[in-house]
Amino acid sequence: MKNDSPFFTSHFNTTFSSIKYVVFYIVICFAFSCKTQEPKEKDSPNIIVIMADDLGYSDLGCYGGEINTPSLNTLASEGIRLSNVYNAGMCVASRSAMLTGKWWPRAGYGAQNGPNIAQRLKEKGYRTGLIGKWHLDGTPNKKGFDYFFGFLGGFSSYFKGSKDYRINEEKYEDFDASFYSTDAFSESAVEFVKSNSKESKTPFFLYLSYQSPHNPLQASKKDIMKYRGSYLKGWQAVRQHRIEKQKSLGLITDEAPLPDYPQNLPKWDTLTDAQKDLEDLRMSVYAAMVERMDKGIGQLMDALKTTNQEKNTLIIFLSDNGTDSFSVLDKVLLKKNLLPGDAGSNYQLGTGWAYASVSPLRLYKISQHSGGVRTGAIVRWPETIAKPNSISSEPINLVDFMPTFLQATNSSSGLKDKSIDTNKFKGSSFIPLLKGKAWNRETPMYFQFMDNRAIRTSEWSLVEVDGNGWELYNTIKDPLETNDLSKIHKSKVLELEKDWLDWWITESGEPNYQPESTKDNPHYKPQGDRGTGIIYSPSAMPKKLSEKYELTR
């Protein structure tokens, strides 16, 4: 992107290209559009939620990955890695739960059962901004956000944008040759932060909602070629390397049983050279996308520092769900002579690299097994965190975010602020955990998407994939859900199933459970890794396209 940030300049005369006018515009925008109550004193922290899209548990360096993520690694070293944060396994469901503090069947895709977190924080005098992906009903400006730049749907071209791009309520169409959405969102976030200052008594809430690394897999050739060839070792080797690093980092123990190799995934050494070549390119593009996002987060951190706001800013980074394991358009794209990385293509990561990406977990996006619903999260808040560069394995759910943020706005009152009625929320504030105090989840966590569902307590996980029946795990002894005990502890299955059904009827408003089947959906396929999932068939690099991203050996 150009330094004059073209996603703002559509509101300016073209002669106003200096960055100072961009900042000036945002300030004016806030002055006229923010309908907030009188601001609080600046002891209330700024709050930034950075949400990646379809990022796997182990993709970041600080979670075991080989992808270059120095900014997020630094964020982790200065904060806490929350290694056991649970989302809802699917973009819209996770975003609804995070914004409302309610289980997604009750929150709805539009987060309409408000008020949501942006609306609540506006009541407390906050400026609010959403940059990036919305993917819910309605529009952000009508759901509590003073400022919005991004797109309304589920995904968009990284290079060419889409018709649903908006700046606030106005259409945005300025997709020039330099446009790349990850950069555009990063630059917009930087300007949002710079429009504030330490001297301002008005704190802000920023929801930086990256599309990266969600499909379409697109990145610049320069960024892709940094990784090209490094994944020819295959997904088995990459997963093993990540797991070994996770053990050295203290994310998993040496004694933890590891999941068996998926029955629906061919082993790397059975692939042809042409298949390996295309698969290497697929993962190289994905890695390039993650690195580009990390670079933008580094720019955001620099902006906080230069404006003297970093110490009193609470930042949480996470993914909305696990990695996308599908690859439904490969044949169509290859017929059009399009490869992963190309503008106009729409490749997904596929089961092989999803298997590596979620290391050491099982299954993927839309599944309610841990590979679909656990995220490698990071929280940074220098003025509050008692033990930086630490790891917390306490189970946290997206429904806990709303009460946590509201508790944080009253940080000067300590932990006894009576204005936070935690009974109104399905979760609870984990601020004590950040302060080094005891905090434990006392209630179960519930999950459902299509015919995938789960309930998790402090000791047990009851999980189903693709409507194939319950699996039961003792997650104290078996944290990675490898040894199914459903046939041994039948009474526990019945007990937890009743709890889950009671939750579903209450939250969904439906009299019974009749899920949509993954077997009948054209966009998804059964994922089961123990004989019930569709076998992954890797695509091969066509000879006529092999020179496009050819390796220099």
Side-chain angles (χ1 to χ4, degrees):
M1 294 295 295
K2 298 176 289 186
N3 287 336
D4 58 359
S5 299
F7 40 89
F8 285 113
T9 56
S10 62
H11 287 267
F12 285 87
N13 185 285
T14 55
T15 59
F16 295 144
S17 60
S18 171
I19 200 71
K20 64 182 180 180
Y21 291 104
V22 177
V23 178
F24 174 74
Y25 171 70
I26 298 175
V27 174
I28 294 298
C29 172
F30 281 138
F32 286 96
S33 69
C34 295
K35 298 179 180 179
T36 60
Q37 295 180 0
E38 212 166 301
K40 292 170 62 68
E41 291 299 318
K42 194 57 183 290
D43 57 357
S44 292
N46 303 314
I47 299 173
I48 300 177
V49 176
I50 306 173
M51 183 172 279
D53 201 342
D54 292 3
L55 184 78
Y57 185 84
S58 66
D59 285 328
L60 306 183
C62 56
Y63 272 91
E66 71 292 327
I67 300 174
N68 185 35
T69 56
S71 302
L72 286 164
N73 295 347
T74 298
L75 202 72
S77 68
E78 296 172 347
I80 301 174
R81 274 168 289 176
L82 304 175
S83 64
N84 213 12
V85 171
Y86 286 86
N87 52 59
M90 183 62 179
C91 309
V92 287
S94 293
R95 292 161 196 274
S96 290
M98 189 273 288
L99 286 171
T100 64
K102 298 177 180 179
W103 301 114
W104 82 264
R106 179 64 63 181
Y109 289 141
Q112 293 173 348
N113 240 356
N116 66 37
I117 185 61
Q119 292 164 327
R120 289 295 301 268
L121 291 178
K122 276 175 65 69
E123 293 172 357
K124 290 175 167 287
Y126 274 69
R127 294 172 172 174
T128 58
L130 168 56
I131 295 169
K133 171 176 171 175
W134 174 236
H135 203 192
L136 298 171
D137 291 340
T139 60
N141 294 113
K142 293 179 180 178
K143 296 291 179 72
F145 289 97
D146 300 319
Y147 177 75
F148 170 57
F149 169 67
F151 60 97
L152 299 173
F155 67 93
S156 174
S157 169
Y158 285 79
F159 293 112
K160 299 178 180 180
S162 54
K163 294 180 180 180
D164 62 345
Y165 259 79
R166 300 287 185 273
I167 292 183
N168 294 323
E169 296 285 349
E170 297 185 21
K171 284 190 175 182
Y172 174 79
E173 298 176 336
D174 191 13
F175 306 111
D176 61 20
S178 67
F179 184 85
Y180 185 68
S181 61
T182 301
D183 293 347
F185 298 153
S186 298
E187 292 173 16
S188 183
V190 166
E191 299 307 328
F192 184 94
V193 165
K194 286 183 177 179
S195 71
N196 225 46
S197 68
K198 186 179 180 182
E199 290 72 29
S200 171
K201 292 185 178 180
T202 304
F204 66 78
F205 169 64
L206 172 61
Y207 176 22
L208 177 52
S209 178
Y210 283 108
Q211 180 180 350
S212 180
H214 190 290
N215 66 293
L217 296 183
Q218 295 176 349
S220 72
K221 185 173 182 179
K222 180 180 178 181
D223 288 348
I224 294 168
M225 296 308 291
K226 293 180 186 177
Y227 291 94
R228 189 74 165 107
S230 63
Y231 289 105
L232 288 173
K233 61 177 73 75
W235 45 67
Q236 293 159 260
V238 171
R239 181 173 171 108
Q240 183 60 38
H241 182 269
R242 290 187 179 193
I243 288 174
E244 292 304 316
K245 185 176 178 182
Q246 288 171 332
K247 289 179 179 179
S248 69
L249 292 171
L251 291 165
I252 56 176
T253 65
D254 290 333
E255 297 77 25
L258 297 173
D260 292 334
Y261 192 80
Q263 293 180 22
N264 61 330
L265 179 63
K267 293 188 176 181
W268 184 259
D269 60 11
T270 67
L271 274 57
T272 66
D273 288 345
Q275 287 177 312
K276 291 177 180 179
D277 192 24
L278 187 63
E279 287 295 320
D280 172 80
L281 177 59
R282 193 192 300 267
M283 185 61 191
S284 296
V285 179
Y286 180 90
M289 295 166 72
V290 174
E291 180 175 340
R292 198 72 178 185
M293 176 180 65
D294 181 86
K295 180 180 179 182
I297 293 170
Q299 294 167 349
L300 178 63
M301 293 304 301
D302 289 342
L304 288 169
K305 291 176 183 177
T306 57
T307 55
N308 296 314
Q309 297 183 91
E310 63 162 336
K311 290 185 178 179
N312 195 34
T313 298
L314 166 60
I315 302 174
I316 291 185
F317 173 89
L318 73 160
S319 178
D320 61 352
N321 48 253
T323 316
D324 182 0
S325 68
F326 302 108
S327 54
V328 297
L329 294 176
D330 281 23
K331 291 181 180 179
V332 173
L333 296 168
L334 289 173
K335 285 182 179 179
K336 294 181 178 180
N337 295 325
L338 291 170
L339 290 176
D342 291 351
S345 69
N346 187 11
Y347 282 88
Q348 297 162 277
L349 194 58
T351 306
W353 294 119
Y355 170 69
S357 182
V358 302
S359 303
L361 311 176
R362 278 185 61 205
L363 299 181
Y364 325 103
K365 175 181 178 178
I366 87 167
S367 166
Q368 306 300 293
H369 282 69
S370 53
V373 297
R374 274 182 68 184
T375 178
I378 303 168
V379 58
R380 181 187 187 274
W381 191 8
E383 293 190 342
T384 298
I385 288 177
K387 298 177 181 178
N389 197 25
S390 61
I391 298 173
S392 172
S393 60
E394 290 298 329
I396 295 171
N397 193 283
L398 287 179
V399 298
D400 299 318
F401 281 37
M402 167 85 92
T404 298
F405 294 154
L406 292 177
Q407 189 75 66
T409 65
N410 296 276
S411 57
S412 62
S413 303
L415 298 176
K416 298 181 179 180
D417 181 14
K418 296 180 180 179
S419 70
I420 306 298
D421 183 1
T422 57
N423 293 325
K424 293 182 179 179
F425 304 108
K426 299 300 181 181
S428 59
S429 169
F430 54 86
I431 291 291
L433 184 152
L434 307 184
K435 292 175 176 276
K437 300 183 179 181
W439 184 85
N440 301 100
R441 169 167 297 285
E442 297 178 354
T443 56
M445 295 185 288
Y446 303 91
F447 306 84
Q448 187 274 337
F449 186 78
M450 299 182 69
D451 52 5
N452 297 279
R453 53 179 176 160
I455 176 175
R456 289 180 168 86
T457 69
S458 59
E459 184 179 2
W460 297 98
S461 289
L462 187 69
V463 197
E464 181 178 36
V465 59
D466 299 321
N468 290 315
W470 287 118
E471 302 168 13
L472 179 69
Y473 302 98
N474 183 318
T475 47
I476 295 176
K477 299 177 180 179
D478 182 23
L480 302 180
E481 301 171 344
T482 67
N483 184 24
D484 181 9
L485 302 175
S486 60
K487 294 181 180 179
I488 298 174
H489 297 288
K490 294 181 180 180
S491 61
K492 179 57 68 174
V493 171
L494 292 173
E495 173 192 334
L496 292 173
E497 180 182 42
K498 182 181 183 304
D499 194 345
W500 188 91
L501 284 170
D502 288 344
W503 167 82
W504 170 254
I505 292 170
T506 300
E507 293 296 323
S508 70
E510 301 291 336
N512 50 44
Y513 174 60
Q514 294 180 318
E516 180 184 357
S517 172
T518 52
K519 301 178 182 68
D520 302 326
N521 190 296
H523 303 292
Y524 308 116
K525 303 294 181 183
Q527 295 178 311
D529 56 358
R530 297 180 175 179
T532 59
I534 297 296
I535 303 296
Y536 180 59
S537 179
S539 300
M541 177 72 77
K543 289 183 179 180
K544 63 182 178 180
L545 300 179
S546 61
E547 294 182 359
K548 190 179 288 190
Y549 295 96
E550 188 174 16
L551 283 167
T552 302
R553 298 184 189 277

